[in-house]
Amino acid sequence: IGSSRFVIIRTLMTDDERKLERVIRKIWTRKRHNKDAQELHAVHSSDPVRHKVLGELSKLNVEVTFRVIDKVSVASDLQHVSYMTLADIVYSYEHGTNIVVDKKDTVLKRSGLLKQLTLEQTFHAVRFCDSREVKQLQAVDFVSWAYYQYIEYGNDEYMFEINKLMGISGAKQ
């Protein structure tokens, strides 16, 4: 959960997962990158690549939402709060919705936390995947990184694209 003041839990919903995957694959194949890198990451990309990814995403039929947890205001275990927030998000989706979460914890740690928090049933249909394998998670990384830049540092350079993704008109350019 790192050294940032905030934990950002973001969702990106789409009716066409393949289009989302194609955006990342297309930019990945055109980008000069470290041959050892196995995925497209916003933090390791140039500004033009970040703008390109966010711009291409804003052309798709996607919806983005954010939940921000301020670590300063969390009195209990941050991982518990994060999983409870994620559970609220998962619970809000219709049964049968394909939900994929970037796996950050080991299976053992995650299953232990879900059991401790009695959330096994809520997460039974959720797939925890590695972002190297699921390109759509790489797209979410760019959205999250851009929003993080705004809330942590006040950097609004990417907010035009983010606001378009969030359906906010009059986005600042």
Side-chain angles (χ1 to χ4, degrees):
I1 294 186
S3 62
S4 167
R5 177 179 167 180
F6 302 101
V7 173
I8 301 172
I9 299 177
R10 69 273 181 201
T11 61
L12 189 146
M13 286 91 36
T14 183
D15 292 334
D16 192 343
E17 295 175 37
R18 293 290 297 150
K19 283 185 180 178
L20 193 56
E21 181 181 1
R22 280 193 294 265
V23 164
I24 296 300
R25 284 192 189 279
K26 180 178 160 184
I27 293 170
W28 170 255
T29 57
R30 290 184 178 169
K31 177 184 176 286
R32 291 184 191 157
H33 51 79
N34 179 344
K35 289 181 173 52
D36 295 332
Q38 298 176 4
E39 62 186 314
L40 199 56
H41 262 299
V43 72
H44 300 297
S45 296
S46 65
D47 284 338
V49 169
R50 292 177 190 133
H51 282 291
K52 178 72 173 168
V53 170
L54 294 170
E56 290 297 317
L57 292 177
S58 69
K59 295 175 187 175
L60 301 178
N61 185 25
V62 297
E63 180 183 326
V64 174
T65 60
F66 296 94
R67 302 261 180 108
V68 179
I69 302 169
D70 186 344
K71 293 178 186 179
V72 174
S73 65
V74 174
S76 60
D77 187 326
L78 183 58
Q79 282 200 305
H80 288 193
V81 173
S82 297
Y83 272 95
M84 294 300 287
T85 303
L86 186 56
D88 286 342
I89 294 168
V90 168
Y91 197 71
S92 70
Y93 287 100
E94 298 174 16
H95 180 70
T97 301
N98 182 21
I99 300 174
V100 181
V101 175
D102 196 356
K103 70 176 181 182
K104 299 291 185 190
D105 297 321
T106 64
V107 174
L108 185 61
K109 184 174 184 175
R110 181 176 52 252
S111 61
L113 277 168
L114 295 178
K115 185 174 184 168
Q116 182 181 3
L117 298 169
T118 62
L119 294 173
E120 300 100 329
Q121 188 60 32
T122 303
F123 284 90
H124 80 281
V126 173
R127 294 183 321 156
F128 289 88
C129 299
D130 190 315
S131 59
R132 289 174 288 194
E133 298 161 6
V134 179
K135 302 298 181 206
Q136 295 87 337
L137 291 172
Q138 294 174 37
V140 176
D141 173 67
F142 276 81
V143 173
S144 181
W145 182 89
Y147 194 67
Y148 167 80
Q149 292 297 308
Y150 177 68
I151 65 167
E152 185 78 19
Y153 303 113
N155 178 358
D156 64 355
E157 178 180 354
Y158 305 95
M159 287 311 293
F160 177 73
E161 289 100 338
I162 295 297
N163 287 341
K164 278 183 76 174
L165 288 166
M166 294 175 67
I168 299 171
S169 61
K172 181 180 178 183
Q173 269 188 316

mmCIF file of all heavy atoms in Angstrom, residues 12-14 19-20 23-24 27 49-64 139-140 142-143 146 157-169 171-173:
data_model
loop_
_atom_site.group_PDB
_atom_site.id
_atom_site.type_symbol
_atom_site.label_atom_id
_atom_site.label_comp_id
_atom_site.label_asym_id
_atom_site.label_seq_id
_atom_site.Cartn_x
_atom_site.Cartn_y
_atom_site.Cartn_z
ATOM 1 N N LEU A 12 -13.212 0.501 -13.568
ATOM 2 C CA LEU A 12 -13.375 0.860 -14.966
ATOM 3 C C LEU A 12 -14.333 -0.182 -15.542
ATOM 4 O O LEU A 12 -14.015 -1.360 -15.556
ATOM 5 C CB LEU A 12 -12.036 0.835 -15.690
ATOM 6 C CG LEU A 12 -12.041 1.397 -17.108
ATOM 7 C CD1 LEU A 12 -10.717 2.088 -17.395
ATOM 8 C CD2 LEU A 12 -12.323 0.339 -18.122
ATOM 9 N N MET A 13 -15.509 0.267 -15.941
ATOM 10 C CA MET A 13 -16.515 -0.632 -16.471
ATOM 11 C C MET A 13 -16.608 -0.451 -17.977
ATOM 12 O O MET A 13 -16.509 0.666 -18.479
ATOM 13 C CB MET A 13 -17.890 -0.346 -15.858
ATOM 14 C CG MET A 13 -18.040 -0.816 -14.432
ATOM 15 S SD MET A 13 -17.631 0.320 -13.092
ATOM 16 C CE MET A 13 -18.093 1.897 -13.534
ATOM 17 N N THR A 14 -16.794 -1.584 -18.665
ATOM 18 C CA THR A 14 -16.934 -1.540 -20.113
ATOM 19 C C THR A 14 -17.831 -2.673 -20.572
ATOM 20 O O THR A 14 -17.925 -3.704 -19.906
ATOM 21 C CB THR A 14 -15.563 -1.632 -20.823
ATOM 22 O OG1 THR A 14 -15.760 -1.519 -22.221
ATOM 23 C CG2 THR A 14 -14.850 -2.933 -20.519
ATOM 24 N N LYS A 19 -12.011 -4.310 -26.798
ATOM 25 C CA LYS A 19 -11.567 -2.985 -27.262
ATOM 26 C C LYS A 19 -10.577 -2.381 -26.274
ATOM 27 O O LYS A 19 -9.587 -1.774 -26.664
ATOM 28 C CB LYS A 19 -12.762 -2.047 -27.457
ATOM 29 C CG LYS A 19 -13.541 -2.311 -28.712
ATOM 30 C CD LYS A 19 -14.621 -1.278 -28.905
ATOM 31 C CE LYS A 19 -15.402 -1.542 -30.178
ATOM 32 N NZ LYS A 19 -16.499 -0.585 -30.362
ATOM 33 N N LEU A 20 -10.863 -2.560 -25.010
ATOM 34 C CA LEU A 20 -9.975 -2.059 -23.963
ATOM 35 C C LEU A 20 -8.614 -2.742 -24.057
ATOM 36 O O LEU A 20 -7.566 -2.099 -23.993
ATOM 37 C CB LEU A 20 -10.631 -2.312 -22.604
ATOM 38 C CG LEU A 20 -10.089 -1.640 -21.378
ATOM 39 C CD1 LEU A 20 -10.056 -0.132 -21.543
ATOM 40 C CD2 LEU A 20 -10.931 -2.024 -20.171
ATOM 41 N N VAL A 23 -6.549 -1.437 -27.072
ATOM 42 C CA VAL A 23 -5.901 -0.133 -26.859
ATOM 43 C C VAL A 23 -4.515 -0.342 -26.251
ATOM 44 O O VAL A 23 -3.527 0.217 -26.723
ATOM 45 C CB VAL A 23 -6.759 0.778 -25.949
ATOM 46 C CG1 VAL A 23 -5.949 1.939 -25.404
ATOM 47 C CG2 VAL A 23 -7.973 1.278 -26.694
ATOM 48 N N ILE A 24 -4.438 -1.154 -25.213
ATOM 49 C CA ILE A 24 -3.161 -1.391 -24.533
ATOM 50 C C ILE A 24 -2.204 -2.140 -25.457
ATOM 51 O O ILE A 24 -1.031 -1.776 -25.579
ATOM 52 C CB ILE A 24 -3.369 -2.145 -23.205
ATOM 53 C CG1 ILE A 24 -4.177 -1.281 -22.233
ATOM 54 C CG2 ILE A 24 -2.037 -2.569 -22.592
ATOM 55 C CD1 ILE A 24 -3.529 0.042 -21.872
ATOM 56 N N ILE A 27 -0.787 0.220 -28.226
ATOM 57 C CA ILE A 27 0.209 1.172 -27.727
ATOM 58 C C ILE A 27 1.470 0.426 -27.299
ATOM 59 O O ILE A 27 2.583 0.890 -27.539
ATOM 60 C CB ILE A 27 -0.382 2.036 -26.592
ATOM 61 C CG1 ILE A 27 -1.473 2.938 -27.180
ATOM 62 C CG2 ILE A 27 0.702 2.849 -25.898
ATOM 63 C CD1 ILE A 27 -2.300 3.670 -26.170
ATOM 64 N N VAL A 49 2.893 8.974 -24.009
ATOM 65 C CA VAL A 49 2.265 7.644 -23.926
ATOM 66 C C VAL A 49 1.092 7.696 -22.951
ATOM 67 O O VAL A 49 0.010 7.150 -23.228
ATOM 68 C CB VAL A 49 3.286 6.555 -23.525
ATOM 69 C CG1 VAL A 49 2.592 5.234 -23.188
ATOM 70 C CG2 VAL A 49 4.314 6.353 -24.635
ATOM 71 N N ARG A 50 1.265 8.368 -21.819
ATOM 72 C CA ARG A 50 0.168 8.489 -20.846
ATOM 73 C C ARG A 50 -1.037 9.184 -21.477
ATOM 74 O O ARG A 50 -2.175 8.729 -21.333
ATOM 75 C CB ARG A 50 0.638 9.259 -19.619
ATOM 76 C CG ARG A 50 1.652 8.525 -18.799
ATOM 77 C CD ARG A 50 2.120 9.383 -17.630
ATOM 78 N NE ARG A 50 3.254 8.772 -16.980
ATOM 79 C CZ ARG A 50 4.368 9.411 -16.647
ATOM 80 N NH1 ARG A 50 4.499 10.713 -16.891
ATOM 81 N NH2 ARG A 50 5.355 8.772 -16.073
ATOM 82 N N HIS A 51 -0.782 10.295 -22.156
ATOM 83 C CA HIS A 51 -1.879 11.021 -22.811
ATOM 84 C C HIS A 51 -2.526 10.171 -23.901
ATOM 85 O O HIS A 51 -3.744 10.210 -24.073
ATOM 86 C CB HIS A 51 -1.388 12.352 -23.389
ATOM 87 C CG HIS A 51 -1.224 13.420 -22.355
ATOM 88 N ND1 HIS A 51 -2.285 13.997 -21.701
ATOM 89 C CD2 HIS A 51 -0.108 14.016 -21.863
ATOM 90 C CE1 HIS A 51 -1.838 14.906 -20.848
ATOM 91 N NE2 HIS A 51 -0.528 14.935 -20.913
ATOM 92 N N LYS A 52 -1.718 9.414 -24.620
ATOM 93 C CA LYS A 52 -2.248 8.555 -25.686
ATOM 94 C C LYS A 52 -3.174 7.483 -25.103
ATOM 95 O O LYS A 52 -4.286 7.279 -25.604
ATOM 96 C CB LYS A 52 -1.091 7.909 -26.457
ATOM 97 C CG LYS A 52 -1.511 6.976 -27.553
ATOM 98 C CD LYS A 52 -2.083 7.720 -28.719
ATOM 99 C CE LYS A 52 -2.340 6.781 -29.874
ATOM 100 N NZ LYS A 52 -3.149 7.405 -30.910
ATOM 101 N N VAL A 53 -2.725 6.818 -24.046
ATOM 102 C CA VAL A 53 -3.556 5.774 -23.425
ATOM 103 C C VAL A 53 -4.855 6.383 -22.908
ATOM 104 O O VAL A 53 -5.951 5.890 -23.203
ATOM 105 C CB VAL A 53 -2.810 5.056 -22.274
ATOM 106 C CG1 VAL A 53 -3.757 4.161 -21.482
ATOM 107 C CG2 VAL A 53 -1.642 4.240 -22.814
ATOM 108 N N LEU A 54 -4.761 7.471 -22.150
ATOM 109 C CA LEU A 54 -5.960 8.091 -21.584
ATOM 110 C C LEU A 54 -6.878 8.631 -22.680
ATOM 111 O O LEU A 54 -8.106 8.516 -22.582
ATOM 112 C CB LEU A 54 -5.574 9.200 -20.606
ATOM 113 C CG LEU A 54 -4.857 8.718 -19.341
ATOM 114 C CD1 LEU A 54 -4.297 9.892 -18.558
ATOM 115 C CD2 LEU A 54 -5.779 7.873 -18.467
ATOM 116 N N GLY A 55 -6.294 9.201 -23.722
ATOM 117 C CA GLY A 55 -7.092 9.706 -24.837
ATOM 118 C C GLY A 55 -7.830 8.585 -25.555
ATOM 119 O O GLY A 55 -9.007 8.722 -25.900
ATOM 120 N N GLU A 56 -7.138 7.471 -25.794
ATOM 121 C CA GLU A 56 -7.778 6.323 -26.455
ATOM 122 C C GLU A 56 -8.876 5.728 -25.569
ATOM 123 O O GLU A 56 -9.934 5.343 -26.066
ATOM 124 C CB GLU A 56 -6.747 5.251 -26.804
ATOM 125 C CG GLU A 56 -5.801 5.654 -27.910
ATOM 126 C CD GLU A 56 -6.495 5.905 -29.239
ATOM 127 O OE1 GLU A 56 -7.376 5.114 -29.617
ATOM 128 O OE2 GLU A 56 -6.155 6.910 -29.901
ATOM 129 N N LEU A 57 -8.628 5.671 -24.278
ATOM 130 C CA LEU A 57 -9.652 5.154 -23.356
ATOM 131 C C LEU A 57 -10.891 6.044 -23.363
ATOM 132 O O LEU A 57 -12.022 5.551 -23.285
ATOM 133 C CB LEU A 57 -9.101 5.042 -21.932
ATOM 134 C CG LEU A 57 -8.027 3.994 -21.696
ATOM 135 C CD1 LEU A 57 -7.537 4.060 -20.252
ATOM 136 C CD2 LEU A 57 -8.516 2.601 -22.043
ATOM 137 N N SER A 58 -10.678 7.359 -23.456
ATOM 138 C CA SER A 58 -11.817 8.283 -23.425
ATOM 139 C C SER A 58 -12.689 8.168 -24.671
ATOM 140 O O SER A 58 -13.828 8.626 -24.679
ATOM 141 C CB SER A 58 -11.347 9.725 -23.226
ATOM 142 O OG SER A 58 -10.657 10.186 -24.355
ATOM 143 N N LYS A 59 -12.184 7.535 -25.728
ATOM 144 C CA LYS A 59 -12.974 7.310 -26.942
ATOM 145 C C LYS A 59 -13.860 6.069 -26.830
ATOM 146 O O LYS A 59 -14.757 5.876 -27.642
ATOM 147 C CB LYS A 59 -12.053 7.137 -28.154
ATOM 148 C CG LYS A 59 -11.255 8.371 -28.506
ATOM 149 C CD LYS A 59 -10.292 8.052 -29.645
ATOM 150 C CE LYS A 59 -9.351 9.201 -29.913
ATOM 151 N NZ LYS A 59 -8.339 8.840 -30.925
ATOM 152 N N LEU A 60 -13.573 5.221 -25.842
ATOM 153 C CA LEU A 60 -14.321 3.976 -25.678
ATOM 154 C C LEU A 60 -15.542 4.188 -24.794
ATOM 155 O O LEU A 60 -15.636 5.178 -24.068
ATOM 156 C CB LEU A 60 -13.428 2.902 -25.053
ATOM 157 C CG LEU A 60 -12.161 2.522 -25.804
ATOM 158 C CD1 LEU A 60 -11.379 1.473 -25.023
ATOM 159 C CD2 LEU A 60 -12.495 2.004 -27.200
ATOM 160 N N ASN A 61 -16.416 3.222 -24.818
ATOM 161 C CA ASN A 61 -17.585 3.234 -23.947
ATOM 162 C C ASN A 61 -17.180 2.637 -22.592
ATOM 163 O O ASN A 61 -17.397 1.454 -22.334
ATOM 164 C CB ASN A 61 -18.730 2.442 -24.576
ATOM 165 C CG ASN A 61 -19.986 2.527 -23.754
ATOM 166 O OD1 ASN A 61 -20.194 3.465 -22.999
ATOM 167 N ND2 ASN A 61 -20.834 1.521 -23.882
ATOM 168 N N VAL A 62 -16.534 3.465 -21.771
ATOM 169 C CA VAL A 62 -16.104 3.028 -20.447
ATOM 170 C C VAL A 62 -16.615 4.021 -19.404
ATOM 171 O O VAL A 62 -16.869 5.185 -19.708
ATOM 172 C CB VAL A 62 -14.564 2.891 -20.321
ATOM 173 C CG1 VAL A 62 -14.027 1.831 -21.255
ATOM 174 C CG2 VAL A 62 -13.866 4.203 -20.544
ATOM 175 N N GLU A 63 -16.737 3.524 -18.208
ATOM 176 C CA GLU A 63 -17.140 4.370 -17.081
ATOM 177 C C GLU A 63 -16.130 4.148 -15.966
ATOM 178 O O GLU A 63 -15.790 3.018 -15.640
ATOM 179 C CB GLU A 63 -18.537 3.978 -16.610
ATOM 180 C CG GLU A 63 -19.036 4.808 -15.456
ATOM 181 C CD GLU A 63 -20.406 4.337 -14.976
ATOM 182 O OE1 GLU A 63 -21.206 3.889 -15.806
ATOM 183 O OE2 GLU A 63 -20.630 4.424 -13.753
ATOM 184 N N VAL A 64 -15.647 5.232 -15.394
ATOM 185 C CA VAL A 64 -14.624 5.173 -14.358
ATOM 186 C C VAL A 64 -15.170 5.766 -13.069
ATOM 187 O O VAL A 64 -15.831 6.807 -13.087
ATOM 188 C CB VAL A 64 -13.359 5.959 -14.791
ATOM 189 C CG1 VAL A 64 -12.340 6.024 -13.675
ATOM 190 C CG2 VAL A 64 -12.755 5.347 -16.028
ATOM 191 N N ALA A 139 -4.753 -0.740 -18.344
ATOM 192 C CA ALA A 139 -5.498 0.484 -18.669
ATOM 193 C C ALA A 139 -5.952 1.168 -17.384
ATOM 194 O O ALA A 139 -5.834 2.388 -17.239
ATOM 195 C CB ALA A 139 -6.701 0.151 -19.555
ATOM 196 N N VAL A 140 -6.434 0.384 -16.444
ATOM 197 C CA VAL A 140 -6.886 0.932 -15.159
ATOM 198 C C VAL A 140 -5.719 1.571 -14.417
ATOM 199 O O VAL A 140 -5.878 2.600 -13.759
ATOM 200 C CB VAL A 140 -7.568 -0.160 -14.294
ATOM 201 C CG1 VAL A 140 -7.956 0.378 -12.935
ATOM 202 C CG2 VAL A 140 -8.783 -0.730 -15.011
ATOM 203 N N PHE A 142 -3.271 3.263 -15.692
ATOM 204 C CA PHE A 142 -3.060 4.616 -16.224
ATOM 205 C C PHE A 142 -4.086 5.590 -15.649
ATOM 206 O O PHE A 142 -3.742 6.719 -15.290
ATOM 207 C CB PHE A 142 -3.125 4.614 -17.759
ATOM 208 C CG PHE A 142 -1.833 4.231 -18.390
ATOM 209 C CD1 PHE A 142 -1.470 2.899 -18.499
ATOM 210 C CD2 PHE A 142 -0.955 5.190 -18.853
ATOM 211 C CE1 PHE A 142 -0.264 2.533 -19.069
ATOM 212 C CE2 PHE A 142 0.261 4.840 -19.424
ATOM 213 C CZ PHE A 142 0.615 3.498 -19.525
ATOM 214 N N VAL A 143 -5.321 5.160 -15.558
ATOM 215 C CA VAL A 143 -6.376 6.018 -15.005
ATOM 216 C C VAL A 143 -6.082 6.323 -13.543
ATOM 217 O O VAL A 143 -6.156 7.471 -13.104
ATOM 218 C CB VAL A 143 -7.755 5.340 -15.174
ATOM 219 C CG1 VAL A 143 -8.834 6.126 -14.470
ATOM 220 C CG2 VAL A 143 -8.079 5.153 -16.652
ATOM 221 N N ALA A 146 -3.037 8.706 -13.105
ATOM 222 C CA ALA A 146 -3.371 10.094 -13.432
ATOM 223 C C ALA A 146 -4.177 10.744 -12.311
ATOM 224 O O ALA A 146 -3.927 11.893 -11.929
ATOM 225 C CB ALA A 146 -4.143 10.163 -14.748
ATOM 226 N N GLU A 157 -2.653 17.881 -15.075
ATOM 227 C CA GLU A 157 -2.317 17.709 -16.491
ATOM 228 C C GLU A 157 -3.173 16.654 -17.193
ATOM 229 O O GLU A 157 -3.470 16.771 -18.372
ATOM 230 C CB GLU A 157 -0.838 17.315 -16.609
ATOM 231 C CG GLU A 157 -0.372 17.072 -18.018
ATOM 232 C CD GLU A 157 1.111 16.688 -18.094
ATOM 233 O OE1 GLU A 157 1.812 16.724 -17.067
ATOM 234 O OE2 GLU A 157 1.545 16.376 -19.204
ATOM 235 N N TYR A 158 -3.590 15.642 -16.467
ATOM 236 C CA TYR A 158 -4.340 14.531 -17.069
ATOM 237 C C TYR A 158 -5.832 14.589 -16.747
ATOM 238 O O TYR A 158 -6.583 13.695 -17.133
ATOM 239 C CB TYR A 158 -3.771 13.195 -16.581
ATOM 240 C CG TYR A 158 -2.295 13.082 -16.843
ATOM 241 C CD1 TYR A 158 -1.362 13.427 -15.858
ATOM 242 C CD2 TYR A 158 -1.814 12.676 -18.079
ATOM 243 C CE1 TYR A 158 -0.003 13.349 -16.109
ATOM 244 C CE2 TYR A 158 -0.460 12.594 -18.335
ATOM 245 C CZ TYR A 158 0.438 12.937 -17.350
ATOM 246 O OH TYR A 158 1.777 12.871 -17.595
ATOM 247 N N MET A 159 -6.271 15.630 -16.053
ATOM 248 C CA MET A 159 -7.663 15.674 -15.602
ATOM 249 C C MET A 159 -8.663 15.839 -16.738
ATOM 250 O O MET A 159 -9.803 15.415 -16.611
ATOM 251 C CB MET A 159 -7.859 16.760 -14.537
ATOM 252 C CG MET A 159 -7.260 16.391 -13.191
ATOM 253 S SD MET A 159 -7.701 14.729 -12.592
ATOM 254 C CE MET A 159 -9.440 14.926 -12.289
ATOM 255 N N PHE A 160 -8.270 16.412 -17.863
ATOM 256 C CA PHE A 160 -9.186 16.511 -18.990
ATOM 257 C C PHE A 160 -9.621 15.114 -19.413
ATOM 258 O O PHE A 160 -10.822 14.839 -19.550
ATOM 259 C CB PHE A 160 -8.535 17.253 -20.162
ATOM 260 C CG PHE A 160 -9.421 17.319 -21.373
ATOM 261 C CD1 PHE A 160 -10.525 18.150 -21.396
ATOM 262 C CD2 PHE A 160 -9.168 16.527 -22.473
ATOM 263 C CE1 PHE A 160 -11.362 18.211 -22.501
ATOM 264 C CE2 PHE A 160 -9.988 16.574 -23.588
ATOM 265 C CZ PHE A 160 -11.093 17.415 -23.598
ATOM 266 N N GLU A 161 -8.640 14.208 -19.593
ATOM 267 C CA GLU A 161 -8.962 12.837 -19.981
ATOM 268 C C GLU A 161 -9.725 12.105 -18.879
ATOM 269 O O GLU A 161 -10.675 11.378 -19.146
ATOM 270 C CB GLU A 161 -7.688 12.065 -20.341
ATOM 271 C CG GLU A 161 -7.048 12.502 -21.641
ATOM 272 C CD GLU A 161 -5.859 13.433 -21.423
ATOM 273 O OE1 GLU A 161 -5.758 14.074 -20.353
ATOM 274 O OE2 GLU A 161 -5.034 13.545 -22.345
ATOM 275 N N ILE A 162 -9.317 12.310 -17.636
ATOM 276 C CA ILE A 162 -9.992 11.643 -16.514
ATOM 277 C C ILE A 162 -11.444 12.102 -16.421
ATOM 278 O O ILE A 162 -12.358 11.291 -16.257
ATOM 279 C CB ILE A 162 -9.258 11.922 -15.175
ATOM 280 C CG1 ILE A 162 -7.862 11.296 -15.201
ATOM 281 C CG2 ILE A 162 -10.060 11.418 -13.985
ATOM 282 C CD1 ILE A 162 -7.831 9.798 -15.332
ATOM 283 N N ASN A 163 -11.671 13.401 -16.537
ATOM 284 C CA ASN A 163 -13.047 13.920 -16.471
ATOM 285 C C ASN A 163 -13.898 13.377 -17.610
ATOM 286 O O ASN A 163 -15.080 13.084 -17.417
ATOM 287 C CB ASN A 163 -13.045 15.444 -16.458
ATOM 288 C CG ASN A 163 -12.581 15.989 -15.133
ATOM 289 O OD1 ASN A 163 -12.590 15.315 -14.124
ATOM 290 N ND2 ASN A 163 -12.152 17.242 -15.128
ATOM 291 N N LYS A 164 -13.314 13.226 -18.792
ATOM 292 C CA LYS A 164 -14.059 12.635 -19.908
ATOM 293 C C LYS A 164 -14.433 11.195 -19.568
ATOM 294 O O LYS A 164 -15.551 10.759 -19.839
ATOM 295 C CB LYS A 164 -13.240 12.677 -21.197
ATOM 296 C CG LYS A 164 -13.296 14.011 -21.908
ATOM 297 C CD LYS A 164 -12.535 14.003 -23.206
ATOM 298 C CE LYS A 164 -13.314 13.258 -24.280
ATOM 299 N NZ LYS A 164 -12.663 13.351 -25.593
ATOM 300 N N LEU A 165 -13.513 10.461 -18.976
ATOM 301 C CA LEU A 165 -13.780 9.082 -18.595
ATOM 302 C C LEU A 165 -14.854 8.992 -17.506
ATOM 303 O O LEU A 165 -15.624 8.043 -17.445
ATOM 304 C CB LEU A 165 -12.506 8.372 -18.122
ATOM 305 C CG LEU A 165 -11.490 8.036 -19.191
ATOM 306 C CD1 LEU A 165 -10.161 7.659 -18.578
ATOM 307 C CD2 LEU A 165 -12.015 6.906 -20.071
ATOM 308 N N MET A 166 -14.884 10.000 -16.650
ATOM 309 C CA MET A 166 -15.863 10.017 -15.563
ATOM 310 C C MET A 166 -17.174 10.650 -15.990
ATOM 311 O O MET A 166 -18.106 10.740 -15.198
ATOM 312 C CB MET A 166 -15.274 10.760 -14.344
ATOM 313 C CG MET A 166 -14.097 10.025 -13.738
ATOM 314 S SD MET A 166 -13.299 10.941 -12.413
ATOM 315 C CE MET A 166 -14.556 10.947 -11.173
ATOM 316 N N GLY A 167 -17.249 11.109 -17.243
ATOM 317 C CA GLY A 167 -18.491 11.695 -17.745
ATOM 318 C C GLY A 167 -18.737 13.109 -17.263
ATOM 319 O O GLY A 167 -19.872 13.564 -17.216
ATOM 320 N N ILE A 168 -17.665 13.825 -16.890
ATOM 321 C CA ILE A 168 -17.805 15.202 -16.410
ATOM 322 C C ILE A 168 -17.565 16.135 -17.583
ATOM 323 O O ILE A 168 -16.511 16.102 -18.221
ATOM 324 C CB ILE A 168 -16.789 15.486 -15.276
ATOM 325 C CG1 ILE A 168 -17.058 14.556 -14.099
ATOM 326 C CG2 ILE A 168 -16.861 16.951 -14.864
ATOM 327 C CD1 ILE A 168 -15.998 14.610 -13.021
ATOM 328 N N SER A 169 -18.531 16.956 -17.871
ATOM 329 C CA SER A 169 -18.375 17.899 -18.988
ATOM 330 C C SER A 169 -17.630 19.146 -18.500
ATOM 331 O O SER A 169 -17.526 19.404 -17.313
ATOM 332 C CB SER A 169 -19.734 18.281 -19.566
ATOM 333 O OG SER A 169 -20.501 18.902 -18.571
ATOM 334 N N ALA A 171 -14.495 19.679 -18.885
ATOM 335 C CA ALA A 171 -13.201 19.286 -18.324
ATOM 336 C C ALA A 171 -12.146 20.310 -18.697
ATOM 337 O O ALA A 171 -12.122 20.842 -19.793
ATOM 338 C CB ALA A 171 -12.812 17.914 -18.863
ATOM 339 N N LYS A 172 -11.274 20.585 -17.764
ATOM 340 C CA LYS A 172 -10.199 21.564 -17.975
ATOM 341 C C LYS A 172 -9.182 21.003 -18.963
ATOM 342 O O LYS A 172 -8.767 19.869 -18.878
ATOM 343 C CB LYS A 172 -9.514 21.837 -16.630
ATOM 344 C CG LYS A 172 -8.408 22.849 -16.738
ATOM 345 C CD LYS A 172 -7.765 23.100 -15.392
ATOM 346 C CE LYS A 172 -6.618 24.087 -15.538
ATOM 347 N NZ LYS A 172 -5.941 24.311 -14.299
ATOM 348 N N GLN A 173 -8.780 21.844 -19.919
ATOM 349 C CA GLN A 173 -7.758 21.420 -20.890
ATOM 350 C C GLN A 173 -6.445 22.053 -20.571
ATOM 351 O O GLN A 173 -6.340 23.113 -20.057
ATOM 352 C CB GLN A 173 -8.165 21.821 -22.303
ATOM 353 C CG GLN A 173 -8.946 20.709 -22.948
ATOM 354 C CD GLN A 173 -9.188 21.033 -24.411
ATOM 355 O OE1 GLN A 173 -9.540 22.138 -24.782
ATOM 356 N NE2 GLN A 173 -9.025 20.039 -25.233
#
